[in-house]
Amino acid sequence: MGKLGGFLEIHREEKKIREISDRIKDFNEIDIPLNDEYIETQAARCMDCGVPFCHWACPVDNHCPEWQDLVYNGEWKKALDLLLSTNPFPEFTGRICPALCEGSCTLGKNDKPVTTKNIELAIIEKGWKNGWVKPKTPKKRFDKKIAVIGSGPSGLAAAQTLNRFGYNVTVYEKNERAGGLLALGIPDFKLDKKIIDRRVKLMEEEGVKFIYNTEAGKDISNEELEKEFDIILMSCGSKQARDLNIKGREAKGVYLAMDFLTQQNRKVNNIPLYNEEIDVKGKNVLVIGGGDTGSDCVGTSVRQGAASVKQIEILNKPSETRASKNPWPQFPMYLKTSTSHKEATEVYGNDPREWNVTTKEFVKDENGNLCGVKIAKVESFVNEDGRLGFREVEGSEEIMKVDFVFLAIGFLHPYFEGLLENSKVELDGRGNVSANVIDFKTSAPKYFAAGDVRRGQSLVVWAISEGRNAAKAIHEYLRKNK
């Protein structure tokens, strides 16, 4: 544990972030680096509970109480070694994970949880700063060759693990740089892309080979992959976005959220744009969808200088406290206000979010440009079969004046064309690649699957867990089938 009884005398203190007036001027990370005194003090709050539910909640099995105790006692190097024994990329999760561990912290049952995510980030960044994070090359190389398709968190985790086992690993990435949605989906103000590049460089030093601008199943055929490699691990994500096919969808100004976010990331990192630039400066923006992707669209729009930004969600407004049907140690599903929401509130004078709103039509002008959105209020109800439904509130219809709409309403399944289609792997009922969580093997010889392509769109920490576990399953498979 941390300090004996520390949780009784020390209160949770949030990390410092840049002032809104400063941070909305650029796309740099909003976090202010954490100092040792803050981290060691916050680590002292860990209460050495009998059953640490942070272990139970964390998909990568982080030993949170143990490395918090080491940090409190100044044993930073030991804390780093313990952290890296379970989590290959704490510099990613320490920035963008929703902190499932904190949601199940025992202290959080009747107080505010330990700042575990901040402590995790401080440990790995001190490791990088002090040169403790070094390449780990295998003592022995096997003659087996493995192709990892996709360099998102799942693919990177699998590639690192397989390489350290001693296999010859090649990662194929269809874009210009590694990271998947970490690189081209999550805004730089949440995750600076130099953080990804730093890790990829280390993996290259360890022996992992990266091939960019190459889409498996198209630029390199399945037949070529099957001929060259003993195993092919699909970790190519679940990026088919859910669309909103209502009247006026063809209007110019209606975009999928990822088209907007990806393009902005390309601009920030000097990567060529292949489509017409989306610039919302001085324009009225509507974001449809209330999740993290929608929030990222809000923050990006604010930084581009939008005249106004609104965000609507068809679902009910979440409770501001943990509901009785969502007890500890489950992850708390209550209203969360992101830094992007706070930015929009300060810039435009009001919270950009509105709940129980349905979108009925995109309105366009005589030139085909979006000029408004027909919306209406709805009430939720439970159908006879127990499913949630919505009914429109009579007389609530109105047309909102907007110039741009970004659809952030989730993802359906992986892209089928190319790799999946040509491999003839079986798909599950949701359209994801069918492979169980024990051996990660698909119905097609040589093909394994991990991450969002297997389980559907999920969290970065789940993708990392899937990648590592799939690598272990592949190792066991190859060991048994020499």
Side-chain angles (χ1 to χ4, degrees), residues 55-62 86-89 92-93 97 100 152-159 161 233 235 436-438 440 449-452 454-455 458-473:
H55 285 194
W56 168 80
C58 179
V60 295
D61 304 318
N62 273 336
T86 58
N87 186 353
F89 311 128
F92 302 160
T93 53
C97 181
L100 305 181
S154 180
L156 291 177
T161 306
L233 174 62
S235 54
N436 67 53
V437 75
I438 304 299
F440 295 87
D452 292 357
R454 190 197 73 84
R455 64 177 285 128
S458 189
L459 303 174
V460 62
V461 69
W462 271 111
I464 291 172
S465 172
E466 288 254 326
R468 293 198 83 184
N469 289 334
K472 294 172 185 177

mmCIF file of all heavy atoms in Angstrom, residues 55-62 86-89 92-93 97 100 152-159 161 233 235 436-438 440 449-452 454-455 458-473:
data_model
loop_
_atom_site.group_PDB
_atom_site.id
_atom_site.type_symbol
_atom_site.label_atom_id
_atom_site.label_comp_id
_atom_site.label_asym_id
_atom_site.label_seq_id
_atom_site.Cartn_x
_atom_site.Cartn_y
_atom_site.Cartn_z
ATOM 1 N N HIS A 55 -7.375 -4.501 -10.028
ATOM 2 C CA HIS A 55 -6.862 -5.665 -10.759
ATOM 3 C C HIS A 55 -7.977 -6.288 -11.592
ATOM 4 O O HIS A 55 -7.786 -6.652 -12.753
ATOM 5 C CB HIS A 55 -6.355 -6.735 -9.776
ATOM 6 C CG HIS A 55 -5.041 -6.400 -9.140
ATOM 7 N ND1 HIS A 55 -4.303 -7.339 -8.464
ATOM 8 C CD2 HIS A 55 -4.339 -5.261 -9.068
ATOM 9 C CE1 HIS A 55 -3.195 -6.775 -7.999
ATOM 10 N NE2 HIS A 55 -3.202 -5.514 -8.350
ATOM 11 N N TRP A 56 -9.118 -6.424 -10.969
ATOM 12 C CA TRP A 56 -10.263 -7.080 -11.616
ATOM 13 C C TRP A 56 -10.738 -6.290 -12.823
ATOM 14 O O TRP A 56 -11.118 -6.861 -13.839
ATOM 15 C CB TRP A 56 -11.390 -7.209 -10.583
ATOM 16 C CG TRP A 56 -12.714 -7.604 -11.137
ATOM 17 C CD1 TRP A 56 -13.129 -8.852 -11.482
ATOM 18 C CD2 TRP A 56 -13.819 -6.722 -11.412
ATOM 19 N NE1 TRP A 56 -14.420 -8.806 -11.951
ATOM 20 C CE2 TRP A 56 -14.862 -7.521 -11.925
ATOM 21 C CE3 TRP A 56 -14.015 -5.351 -11.271
ATOM 22 C CZ2 TRP A 56 -16.096 -6.980 -12.293
ATOM 23 C CZ3 TRP A 56 -15.242 -4.813 -11.639
ATOM 24 C CH2 TRP A 56 -16.260 -5.629 -12.144
ATOM 25 N N ALA A 57 -10.695 -4.966 -12.731
ATOM 26 C CA ALA A 57 -11.236 -4.120 -13.789
ATOM 27 C C ALA A 57 -10.286 -3.933 -14.959
ATOM 28 O O ALA A 57 -10.733 -3.696 -16.079
ATOM 29 C CB ALA A 57 -11.613 -2.756 -13.220
ATOM 30 N N CYS A 58 -8.997 -4.027 -14.714
ATOM 31 C CA CYS A 58 -8.017 -3.686 -15.753
ATOM 32 C C CYS A 58 -7.826 -4.830 -16.744
ATOM 33 O O CYS A 58 -7.403 -5.919 -16.358
ATOM 34 C CB CYS A 58 -6.671 -3.337 -15.117
ATOM 35 S SG CYS A 58 -5.401 -2.925 -16.335
ATOM 36 N N PRO A 59 -8.107 -4.609 -18.031
ATOM 37 C CA PRO A 59 -7.954 -5.678 -19.025
ATOM 38 C C PRO A 59 -6.527 -6.176 -19.206
ATOM 39 O O PRO A 59 -6.321 -7.303 -19.648
ATOM 40 C CB PRO A 59 -8.464 -5.031 -20.318
ATOM 41 C CG PRO A 59 -9.408 -3.966 -19.855
ATOM 42 C CD PRO A 59 -8.782 -3.426 -18.613
ATOM 43 N N VAL A 60 -5.524 -5.345 -18.878
ATOM 44 C CA VAL A 60 -4.136 -5.810 -19.032
ATOM 45 C C VAL A 60 -3.548 -6.306 -17.710
ATOM 46 O O VAL A 60 -2.358 -6.575 -17.613
ATOM 47 C CB VAL A 60 -3.226 -4.708 -19.633
ATOM 48 C CG1 VAL A 60 -3.650 -4.379 -21.033
ATOM 49 C CG2 VAL A 60 -3.181 -3.461 -18.765
ATOM 50 N N ASP A 61 -4.390 -6.400 -16.678
ATOM 51 C CA ASP A 61 -3.987 -6.969 -15.381
ATOM 52 C C ASP A 61 -2.897 -6.163 -14.685
ATOM 53 O O ASP A 61 -1.980 -6.716 -14.063
ATOM 54 C CB ASP A 61 -3.525 -8.422 -15.551
ATOM 55 C CG ASP A 61 -4.574 -9.292 -16.206
ATOM 56 O OD1 ASP A 61 -5.750 -9.161 -15.851
ATOM 57 O OD2 ASP A 61 -4.226 -10.097 -17.092
ATOM 58 N N ASN A 62 -2.986 -4.847 -14.774
ATOM 59 C CA ASN A 62 -2.008 -3.994 -14.095
ATOM 60 C C ASN A 62 -2.014 -4.223 -12.587
ATOM 61 O O ASN A 62 -3.072 -4.341 -11.975
ATOM 62 C CB ASN A 62 -2.305 -2.516 -14.363
ATOM 63 C CG ASN A 62 -1.665 -2.015 -15.629
ATOM 64 O OD1 ASN A 62 -0.677 -2.572 -16.102
ATOM 65 N ND2 ASN A 62 -2.209 -0.947 -16.189
ATOM 66 N N THR A 86 3.101 -5.990 -17.352
ATOM 67 C CA THR A 86 1.717 -6.264 -17.748
ATOM 68 C C THR A 86 1.240 -5.370 -18.888
ATOM 69 O O THR A 86 0.419 -5.792 -19.705
ATOM 70 C CB THR A 86 0.756 -6.065 -16.554
ATOM 71 O OG1 THR A 86 0.888 -4.729 -16.056
ATOM 72 C CG2 THR A 86 1.042 -7.064 -15.449
ATOM 73 N N ASN A 87 1.733 -4.159 -18.955
ATOM 74 C CA ASN A 87 1.247 -3.185 -19.936
ATOM 75 C C ASN A 87 2.400 -2.741 -20.836
ATOM 76 O O ASN A 87 3.309 -2.048 -20.376
ATOM 77 C CB ASN A 87 0.648 -1.977 -19.222
ATOM 78 C CG ASN A 87 -0.003 -0.993 -20.181
ATOM 79 O OD1 ASN A 87 0.078 -1.125 -21.397
ATOM 80 N ND2 ASN A 87 -0.654 0.017 -19.622
ATOM 81 N N PRO A 88 2.387 -3.107 -22.118
ATOM 82 C CA PRO A 88 3.495 -2.738 -22.998
ATOM 83 C C PRO A 88 3.532 -1.265 -23.369
ATOM 84 O O PRO A 88 4.584 -0.740 -23.716
ATOM 85 C CB PRO A 88 3.258 -3.603 -24.242
ATOM 86 C CG PRO A 88 1.782 -3.829 -24.258
ATOM 87 C CD PRO A 88 1.381 -3.930 -22.817
ATOM 88 N N PHE A 89 2.380 -0.576 -23.278
ATOM 89 C CA PHE A 89 2.317 0.805 -23.729
ATOM 90 C C PHE A 89 1.608 1.714 -22.722
ATOM 91 O O PHE A 89 0.579 2.332 -23.030
ATOM 92 C CB PHE A 89 1.591 0.896 -25.077
ATOM 93 C CG PHE A 89 2.091 -0.082 -26.109
ATOM 94 C CD1 PHE A 89 1.195 -0.903 -26.779
ATOM 95 C CD2 PHE A 89 3.444 -0.193 -26.400
ATOM 96 C CE1 PHE A 89 1.632 -1.808 -27.737
ATOM 97 C CE2 PHE A 89 3.901 -1.097 -27.349
ATOM 98 C CZ PHE A 89 2.999 -1.914 -28.021
ATOM 99 N N PHE A 92 0.448 5.188 -23.728
ATOM 100 C CA PHE A 92 -0.831 5.344 -24.436
ATOM 101 C C PHE A 92 -1.988 5.337 -23.443
ATOM 102 O O PHE A 92 -2.820 6.250 -23.429
ATOM 103 C CB PHE A 92 -1.045 4.222 -25.456
ATOM 104 C CG PHE A 92 0.017 4.095 -26.513
ATOM 105 C CD1 PHE A 92 0.166 2.918 -27.226
ATOM 106 C CD2 PHE A 92 0.876 5.137 -26.808
ATOM 107 C CE1 PHE A 92 1.127 2.784 -28.207
ATOM 108 C CE2 PHE A 92 1.860 5.017 -27.788
ATOM 109 C CZ PHE A 92 1.982 3.831 -28.493
ATOM 110 N N THR A 93 -2.051 4.292 -22.638
ATOM 111 C CA THR A 93 -3.177 4.158 -21.704
ATOM 112 C C THR A 93 -3.179 5.262 -20.659
ATOM 113 O O THR A 93 -4.237 5.701 -20.211
ATOM 114 C CB THR A 93 -3.144 2.788 -21.008
ATOM 115 O OG1 THR A 93 -1.860 2.581 -20.405
ATOM 116 C CG2 THR A 93 -3.398 1.663 -22.010
ATOM 117 N N CYS A 97 -6.776 6.122 -21.881
ATOM 118 C CA CYS A 97 -7.658 5.102 -21.305
ATOM 119 C C CYS A 97 -8.672 5.773 -20.380
ATOM 120 O O CYS A 97 -8.329 6.715 -19.657
ATOM 121 C CB CYS A 97 -6.823 4.078 -20.526
ATOM 122 S SG CYS A 97 -7.806 2.753 -19.781
ATOM 123 N N LEU A 100 -10.489 2.280 -16.280
ATOM 124 C CA LEU A 100 -11.391 1.293 -15.695
ATOM 125 C C LEU A 100 -10.967 0.954 -14.273
ATOM 126 O O LEU A 100 -11.800 0.656 -13.412
ATOM 127 C CB LEU A 100 -11.402 0.032 -16.558
ATOM 128 C CG LEU A 100 -11.753 0.230 -18.043
ATOM 129 C CD1 LEU A 100 -11.749 -1.109 -18.771
ATOM 130 C CD2 LEU A 100 -13.104 0.918 -18.199
ATOM 131 N N GLY A 152 -2.429 -0.644 -35.132
ATOM 132 C CA GLY A 152 -3.088 -0.021 -33.999
ATOM 133 C C GLY A 152 -2.573 -0.632 -32.710
ATOM 134 O O GLY A 152 -1.632 -1.434 -32.712
ATOM 135 N N PRO A 153 -3.163 -0.296 -31.572
ATOM 136 C CA PRO A 153 -2.662 -0.814 -30.296
ATOM 137 C C PRO A 153 -2.655 -2.332 -30.204
ATOM 138 O O PRO A 153 -1.743 -2.915 -29.603
ATOM 139 C CB PRO A 153 -3.602 -0.198 -29.259
ATOM 140 C CG PRO A 153 -4.790 0.270 -30.043
ATOM 141 C CD PRO A 153 -4.283 0.628 -31.398
ATOM 142 N N SER A 154 -3.620 -3.000 -30.814
ATOM 143 C CA SER A 154 -3.646 -4.460 -30.793
ATOM 144 C C SER A 154 -2.491 -5.039 -31.605
ATOM 145 O O SER A 154 -1.775 -5.937 -31.154
ATOM 146 C CB SER A 154 -4.980 -4.972 -31.335
ATOM 147 O OG SER A 154 -5.028 -6.378 -31.333
ATOM 148 N N GLY A 155 -2.313 -4.524 -32.820
ATOM 149 C CA GLY A 155 -1.230 -5.000 -33.671
ATOM 150 C C GLY A 155 0.131 -4.724 -33.076
ATOM 151 O O GLY A 155 1.036 -5.576 -33.109
ATOM 152 N N LEU A 156 0.311 -3.535 -32.499
ATOM 153 C CA LEU A 156 1.593 -3.191 -31.880
ATOM 154 C C LEU A 156 1.888 -4.092 -30.685
ATOM 155 O O LEU A 156 3.022 -4.558 -30.500
ATOM 156 C CB LEU A 156 1.587 -1.721 -31.442
ATOM 157 C CG LEU A 156 1.588 -0.667 -32.546
ATOM 158 C CD1 LEU A 156 1.513 0.729 -31.936
ATOM 159 C CD2 LEU A 156 2.838 -0.792 -33.423
ATOM 160 N N ALA A 157 0.871 -4.338 -29.867
ATOM 161 C CA ALA A 157 1.062 -5.199 -28.691
ATOM 162 C C ALA A 157 1.418 -6.617 -29.112
ATOM 163 O O ALA A 157 2.314 -7.248 -28.527
ATOM 164 C CB ALA A 157 -0.195 -5.198 -27.830
ATOM 165 N N ALA A 158 0.732 -7.138 -30.129
ATOM 166 C CA ALA A 158 1.025 -8.486 -30.614
ATOM 167 C C ALA A 158 2.417 -8.551 -31.219
ATOM 168 O O ALA A 158 3.177 -9.493 -30.963
ATOM 169 C CB ALA A 158 -0.018 -8.899 -31.650
ATOM 170 N N ALA A 159 2.775 -7.540 -32.021
ATOM 171 C CA ALA A 159 4.079 -7.530 -32.679
ATOM 172 C C ALA A 159 5.208 -7.484 -31.656
ATOM 173 O O ALA A 159 6.210 -8.205 -31.781
ATOM 174 C CB ALA A 159 4.174 -6.335 -33.628
ATOM 175 N N THR A 161 5.148 -8.494 -28.517
ATOM 176 C CA THR A 161 5.198 -9.754 -27.766
ATOM 177 C C THR A 161 5.767 -10.884 -28.610
ATOM 178 O O THR A 161 6.631 -11.650 -28.147
ATOM 179 C CB THR A 161 3.789 -10.119 -27.267
ATOM 180 O OG1 THR A 161 3.244 -9.028 -26.529
ATOM 181 C CG2 THR A 161 3.821 -11.357 -26.387
ATOM 182 N N LEU A 233 -1.747 -12.537 -38.545
ATOM 183 C CA LEU A 233 -2.620 -12.043 -37.481
ATOM 184 C C LEU A 233 -3.376 -10.811 -37.972
ATOM 185 O O LEU A 233 -2.784 -9.789 -38.288
ATOM 186 C CB LEU A 233 -1.810 -11.677 -36.233
ATOM 187 C CG LEU A 233 -2.613 -11.018 -35.098
ATOM 188 C CD1 LEU A 233 -3.695 -11.962 -34.574
ATOM 189 C CD2 LEU A 233 -1.703 -10.560 -33.966
ATOM 190 N N SER A 235 -5.264 -7.725 -37.239
ATOM 191 C CA SER A 235 -5.513 -6.766 -36.157
ATOM 192 C C SER A 235 -5.785 -5.409 -36.795
ATOM 193 O O SER A 235 -5.214 -4.391 -36.403
ATOM 194 C CB SER A 235 -4.314 -6.693 -35.212
ATOM 195 O OG SER A 235 -3.112 -6.426 -35.927
ATOM 196 N N ASN A 436 -12.338 -17.267 -31.140
ATOM 197 C CA ASN A 436 -12.629 -17.218 -29.708
ATOM 198 C C ASN A 436 -11.481 -16.590 -28.922
ATOM 199 O O ASN A 436 -10.375 -16.395 -29.430
ATOM 200 C CB ASN A 436 -12.991 -18.612 -29.158
ATOM 201 C CG ASN A 436 -11.817 -19.571 -29.193
ATOM 202 O OD1 ASN A 436 -10.732 -19.276 -28.694
ATOM 203 N ND2 ASN A 436 -12.024 -20.747 -29.783
ATOM 204 N N VAL A 437 -11.771 -16.273 -27.666
ATOM 205 C CA VAL A 437 -10.823 -15.543 -26.840
ATOM 206 C C VAL A 437 -9.753 -16.461 -26.235
ATOM 207 O O VAL A 437 -8.852 -16.001 -25.535
ATOM 208 C CB VAL A 437 -11.572 -14.779 -25.724
ATOM 209 C CG1 VAL A 437 -12.037 -15.743 -24.625
ATOM 210 C CG2 VAL A 437 -10.731 -13.660 -25.144
ATOM 211 N N ILE A 438 -9.821 -17.772 -26.533
ATOM 212 C CA ILE A 438 -8.836 -18.712 -26.008
ATOM 213 C C ILE A 438 -7.643 -18.852 -26.955
ATOM 214 O O ILE A 438 -6.496 -18.644 -26.560
ATOM 215 C CB ILE A 438 -9.465 -20.104 -25.765
ATOM 216 C CG1 ILE A 438 -10.668 -19.975 -24.821
ATOM 217 C CG2 ILE A 438 -8.421 -21.058 -25.206
ATOM 218 C CD1 ILE A 438 -10.336 -19.422 -23.460
ATOM 219 N N PHE A 440 -7.747 -17.497 -30.394
ATOM 220 C CA PHE A 440 -7.756 -16.404 -31.373
ATOM 221 C C PHE A 440 -7.628 -16.897 -32.817
ATOM 222 O O PHE A 440 -7.341 -16.121 -33.720
ATOM 223 C CB PHE A 440 -6.643 -15.386 -31.075
ATOM 224 C CG PHE A 440 -6.844 -14.669 -29.763
ATOM 225 C CD1 PHE A 440 -6.374 -15.201 -28.570
ATOM 226 C CD2 PHE A 440 -7.527 -13.471 -29.731
ATOM 227 C CE1 PHE A 440 -6.569 -14.545 -27.363
ATOM 228 C CE2 PHE A 440 -7.732 -12.798 -28.532
ATOM 229 C CZ PHE A 440 -7.245 -13.346 -27.341
ATOM 230 N N ALA A 449 -6.972 -13.654 -35.326
ATOM 231 C CA ALA A 449 -7.579 -12.319 -35.258
ATOM 232 C C ALA A 449 -7.573 -11.816 -33.820
ATOM 233 O O ALA A 449 -7.790 -12.586 -32.878
ATOM 234 C CB ALA A 449 -9.004 -12.344 -35.796
ATOM 235 N N ALA A 450 -7.336 -10.512 -33.664
ATOM 236 C CA ALA A 450 -7.306 -9.913 -32.326
ATOM 237 C C ALA A 450 -7.684 -8.441 -32.401
ATOM 238 O O ALA A 450 -7.507 -7.783 -33.426
ATOM 239 C CB ALA A 450 -5.910 -10.058 -31.715
ATOM 240 N N GLY A 451 -8.202 -7.941 -31.296
ATOM 241 C CA GLY A 451 -8.549 -6.530 -31.219
ATOM 242 C C GLY A 451 -9.943 -6.253 -31.736
ATOM 243 O O GLY A 451 -10.818 -7.127 -31.746
ATOM 244 N N ASP A 452 -10.151 -5.045 -32.217
ATOM 245 C CA ASP A 452 -11.485 -4.626 -32.651
ATOM 246 C C ASP A 452 -12.014 -5.454 -33.814
ATOM 247 O O ASP A 452 -13.230 -5.619 -33.952
ATOM 248 C CB ASP A 452 -11.454 -3.152 -33.058
ATOM 249 C CG ASP A 452 -11.224 -2.214 -31.872
ATOM 250 O OD1 ASP A 452 -11.149 -2.716 -30.742
ATOM 251 O OD2 ASP A 452 -11.127 -0.997 -32.087
ATOM 252 N N ARG A 454 -11.968 -8.473 -34.069
ATOM 253 C CA ARG A 454 -12.550 -9.679 -33.478
ATOM 254 C C ARG A 454 -13.688 -9.353 -32.505
ATOM 255 O O ARG A 454 -14.752 -9.953 -32.576
ATOM 256 C CB ARG A 454 -11.471 -10.479 -32.731
ATOM 257 C CG ARG A 454 -11.922 -11.877 -32.292
ATOM 258 C CD ARG A 454 -11.005 -12.463 -31.222
ATOM 259 N NE ARG A 454 -11.210 -11.811 -29.939
ATOM 260 C CZ ARG A 454 -12.164 -12.144 -29.072
ATOM 261 N NH1 ARG A 454 -13.015 -13.099 -29.366
ATOM 262 N NH2 ARG A 454 -12.279 -11.495 -27.937
ATOM 263 N N ARG A 455 -13.458 -8.378 -31.618
ATOM 264 C CA ARG A 455 -14.444 -8.107 -30.565
ATOM 265 C C ARG A 455 -15.337 -6.910 -30.861
ATOM 266 O O ARG A 455 -16.279 -6.615 -30.131
ATOM 267 C CB ARG A 455 -13.756 -7.907 -29.221
ATOM 268 C CG ARG A 455 -12.837 -6.703 -29.125
ATOM 269 C CD ARG A 455 -12.240 -6.536 -27.720
ATOM 270 N NE ARG A 455 -13.248 -6.023 -26.805
ATOM 271 C CZ ARG A 455 -13.547 -6.568 -25.631
ATOM 272 N NH1 ARG A 455 -12.952 -7.665 -25.238
ATOM 273 N NH2 ARG A 455 -14.454 -6.031 -24.849
ATOM 274 N N SER A 458 -13.764 -0.993 -29.503
ATOM 275 C CA SER A 458 -13.654 -1.021 -28.052
ATOM 276 C C SER A 458 -12.573 -0.056 -27.601
ATOM 277 O O SER A 458 -12.152 0.822 -28.351
ATOM 278 C CB SER A 458 -13.353 -2.456 -27.578
ATOM 279 O OG SER A 458 -13.434 -2.550 -26.176
ATOM 280 N N LEU A 459 -12.091 -0.242 -26.386
ATOM 281 C CA LEU A 459 -11.111 0.651 -25.782
ATOM 282 C C LEU A 459 -9.691 0.245 -26.133
ATOM 283 O O LEU A 459 -9.407 -0.928 -26.389
ATOM 284 C CB LEU A 459 -11.271 0.636 -24.261
ATOM 285 C CG LEU A 459 -12.651 0.998 -23.715
ATOM 286 C CD1 LEU A 459 -12.689 0.795 -22.210
ATOM 287 C CD2 LEU A 459 -13.013 2.426 -24.075
ATOM 288 N N VAL A 460 -8.782 1.213 -26.067
ATOM 289 C CA VAL A 460 -7.374 0.942 -26.379
ATOM 290 C C VAL A 460 -6.806 -0.113 -25.435
ATOM 291 O O VAL A 460 -6.005 -0.968 -25.844
ATOM 292 C CB VAL A 460 -6.542 2.239 -26.326
ATOM 293 C CG1 VAL A 460 -6.559 2.871 -24.936
ATOM 294 C CG2 VAL A 460 -5.110 1.982 -26.759
ATOM 295 N N VAL A 461 -7.219 -0.090 -24.173
ATOM 296 C CA VAL A 461 -6.672 -1.048 -23.207
ATOM 297 C C VAL A 461 -7.131 -2.468 -23.521
ATOM 298 O O VAL A 461 -6.391 -3.443 -23.324
ATOM 299 C CB VAL A 461 -7.044 -0.628 -21.765
ATOM 300 C CG1 VAL A 461 -8.529 -0.782 -21.500
ATOM 301 C CG2 VAL A 461 -6.222 -1.384 -20.739
ATOM 302 N N TRP A 462 -8.358 -2.617 -24.077
ATOM 303 C CA TRP A 462 -8.819 -3.936 -24.495
ATOM 304 C C TRP A 462 -8.067 -4.403 -25.736
ATOM 305 O O TRP A 462 -7.749 -5.589 -25.883
ATOM 306 C CB TRP A 462 -10.322 -3.930 -24.750
ATOM 307 C CG TRP A 462 -11.137 -4.235 -23.527
ATOM 308 C CD1 TRP A 462 -11.950 -3.383 -22.847
ATOM 309 C CD2 TRP A 462 -11.182 -5.469 -22.825
ATOM 310 N NE1 TRP A 462 -12.510 -4.012 -21.767
ATOM 311 C CE2 TRP A 462 -12.056 -5.304 -21.728
ATOM 312 C CE3 TRP A 462 -10.570 -6.708 -23.009
ATOM 313 C CZ2 TRP A 462 -12.332 -6.325 -20.828
ATOM 314 C CZ3 TRP A 462 -10.855 -7.739 -22.114
ATOM 315 C CH2 TRP A 462 -11.727 -7.536 -21.044
ATOM 316 N N ALA A 463 -7.768 -3.473 -26.632
ATOM 317 C CA ALA A 463 -7.007 -3.823 -27.832
ATOM 318 C C ALA A 463 -5.618 -4.324 -27.462
ATOM 319 O O ALA A 463 -5.119 -5.316 -28.014
ATOM 320 C CB ALA A 463 -6.910 -2.610 -28.759
ATOM 321 N N ILE A 464 -4.974 -3.654 -26.518
ATOM 322 C CA ILE A 464 -3.642 -4.074 -26.064
ATOM 323 C C ILE A 464 -3.712 -5.461 -25.444
ATOM 324 O O ILE A 464 -2.880 -6.330 -25.714
ATOM 325 C CB ILE A 464 -3.076 -3.052 -25.063
ATOM 326 C CG1 ILE A 464 -2.746 -1.734 -25.782
ATOM 327 C CG2 ILE A 464 -1.834 -3.601 -24.372
ATOM 328 C CD1 ILE A 464 -2.368 -0.608 -24.856
ATOM 329 N N SER A 465 -4.718 -5.676 -24.609
ATOM 330 C CA SER A 465 -4.891 -6.987 -23.975
ATOM 331 C C SER A 465 -5.078 -8.078 -25.024
ATOM 332 O O SER A 465 -4.460 -9.150 -24.944
ATOM 333 C CB SER A 465 -6.103 -6.939 -23.035
ATOM 334 O OG SER A 465 -6.421 -8.223 -22.535
ATOM 335 N N GLU A 466 -5.930 -7.797 -26.013
ATOM 336 C CA GLU A 466 -6.182 -8.778 -27.079
ATOM 337 C C GLU A 466 -4.898 -9.087 -27.853
ATOM 338 O O GLU A 466 -4.618 -10.240 -28.176
ATOM 339 C CB GLU A 466 -7.238 -8.228 -28.034
ATOM 340 C CG GLU A 466 -8.635 -8.190 -27.468
ATOM 341 C CD GLU A 466 -9.530 -9.269 -28.064
ATOM 342 O OE1 GLU A 466 -9.371 -9.590 -29.250
ATOM 343 O OE2 GLU A 466 -10.383 -9.806 -27.329
ATOM 344 N N GLY A 467 -4.128 -8.059 -28.178
ATOM 345 C CA GLY A 467 -2.902 -8.266 -28.939
ATOM 346 C C GLY A 467 -1.908 -9.140 -28.199
ATOM 347 O O GLY A 467 -1.318 -10.068 -28.774
ATOM 348 N N ARG A 468 -1.719 -8.875 -26.928
ATOM 349 C CA ARG A 468 -0.770 -9.674 -26.131
ATOM 350 C C ARG A 468 -1.256 -11.124 -25.986
ATOM 351 O O ARG A 468 -0.471 -12.062 -26.116
ATOM 352 C CB ARG A 468 -0.588 -9.049 -24.750
ATOM 353 C CG ARG A 468 0.105 -7.701 -24.758
ATOM 354 C CD ARG A 468 0.643 -7.350 -23.394
ATOM 355 N NE ARG A 468 1.947 -7.971 -23.184
ATOM 356 C CZ ARG A 468 2.635 -7.903 -22.052
ATOM 357 N NH1 ARG A 468 2.140 -7.265 -21.013
ATOM 358 N NH2 ARG A 468 3.818 -8.473 -21.933
ATOM 359 N N ASN A 469 -2.542 -11.274 -25.696
ATOM 360 C CA ASN A 469 -3.070 -12.626 -25.505
ATOM 361 C C ASN A 469 -3.071 -13.428 -26.805
ATOM 362 O O ASN A 469 -2.827 -14.639 -26.804
ATOM 363 C CB ASN A 469 -4.476 -12.566 -24.920
ATOM 364 C CG ASN A 469 -4.479 -12.119 -23.470
ATOM 365 O OD1 ASN A 469 -3.498 -12.310 -22.755
ATOM 366 N ND2 ASN A 469 -5.555 -11.509 -23.026
ATOM 367 N N ALA A 470 -3.332 -12.754 -27.919
ATOM 368 C CA ALA A 470 -3.278 -13.437 -29.209
ATOM 369 C C ALA A 470 -1.851 -13.883 -29.514
ATOM 370 O O ALA A 470 -1.632 -14.984 -30.046
ATOM 371 C CB ALA A 470 -3.785 -12.516 -30.317
ATOM 372 N N ALA A 471 -0.881 -13.041 -29.172
ATOM 373 C CA ALA A 471 0.530 -13.404 -29.388
ATOM 374 C C ALA A 471 0.900 -14.639 -28.580
ATOM 375 O O ALA A 471 1.597 -15.542 -29.075
ATOM 376 C CB ALA A 471 1.428 -12.225 -29.005
ATOM 377 N N LYS A 472 0.423 -14.704 -27.362
ATOM 378 C CA LYS A 472 0.701 -15.879 -26.520
ATOM 379 C C LYS A 472 0.032 -17.123 -27.104
ATOM 380 O O LYS A 472 0.617 -18.217 -27.073
ATOM 381 C CB LYS A 472 0.210 -15.624 -25.097
ATOM 382 C CG LYS A 472 0.971 -14.511 -24.372
ATOM 383 C CD LYS A 472 0.323 -14.175 -23.034
ATOM 384 C CE LYS A 472 1.016 -12.985 -22.374
ATOM 385 N NZ LYS A 472 0.341 -12.596 -21.105
ATOM 386 N N ALA A 473 -1.182 -16.954 -27.632
ATOM 387 C CA ALA A 473 -1.898 -18.086 -28.231
ATOM 388 C C ALA A 473 -1.179 -18.569 -29.489
ATOM 389 O O ALA A 473 -1.082 -19.782 -29.738
ATOM 390 C CB ALA A 473 -3.334 -17.671 -28.558
#
